[in-house]
Amino acid sequence: VDGLVPGIAFSPPDAAPYFAALAPGFELAPQVGATLGERLDGVLSGALARGYGQVAAINSDSPSLPATFLVAAFAALDDPGVDVVLGPCDDGGYYLIGWKRPHPALVREVAMSAADTLAQTLAVAGRAGLCVALLPPWYDVDGPADLARLADDPGLGDHTRAFVA
């Protein structure tokens, strides 16, 4: 995607050399905060503060996520009427959150990694009067059944398929 700057939000802070070698050309941002919500807010709001007009964070446990979903996320954010984009996971969470202006409550005022994280996020957005665009649902890998599903996923890359096998 033209104009897309890939990045990795990492922890602990001293892991920067590892990620720099793993993903040359990626922007690196240390995760700061005690909770996942604090870290997400820091990464997303920090990217906006560095001058990016749109930002999105994706999870690290959906390795077969179609790239078209990422394209759709930024296309949704191009709509002036859309404030936030979410990619729902079928376990009640989400694989992606993106915005054009900071909305810390969306990640700080919800229980992360819960069966209703997406529903809580949508409720917070509704109370704030935000327009949310939803991407197609996908899945993440949290347990053995998810790993079996991943192993059967036709969109899985060769290296990931070999690792899973």
Side-chain angles (χ1 to χ4, degrees):
V1 176
D2 288 338
L4 181 71
V5 177
I8 296 176
F10 63 90
S11 183
D14 62 355
Y18 169 80
F19 287 104
L22 179 70
F26 277 56
E27 186 171 292
L28 300 178
Q31 294 182 33
V32 178
T35 68
L36 177 56
E38 291 172 358
R39 293 188 300 271
L40 272 171
D41 179 30
V43 167
L44 292 168
S45 296
L48 289 174
R50 289 190 305 280
Y52 294 104
Q54 301 175 347
V55 295
I58 60 171
N59 65 10
S60 59
D61 57 353
S62 293
S64 65
L65 184 70
T68 56
F69 289 16
L70 303 178
V71 172
F74 288 102
L77 290 171
D78 282 339
D79 182 335
V82 172
D83 300 301
V84 177
V85 63
L86 292 166
C89 279
D90 55 12
D91 65 358
Y94 54 81
Y95 59 83
L96 179 146
I97 183 168
W99 58 44
K100 299 179 270 198
R101 286 176 302 287
H103 300 291
L106 295 180
V107 292
R108 289 178 177 253
E109 295 180 13
V110 301
M112 293 294 184
S113 303
D116 65 343
T117 299
L118 177 67
Q120 289 182 51
T121 306
L122 290 170
V124 171
R127 288 192 298 274
L130 300 174
C131 177
V132 177
L134 292 175
L135 299 171
W138 202 248
Y139 69 100
D140 58 3
V141 179
D142 295 324
D146 302 323
L147 192 57
R149 180 178 181 181
L150 179 68
D152 291 336
D153 190 324
L156 198 61
D158 293 339
H159 294 290
T160 304
R161 184 173 307 289
F163 179 81
V164 171

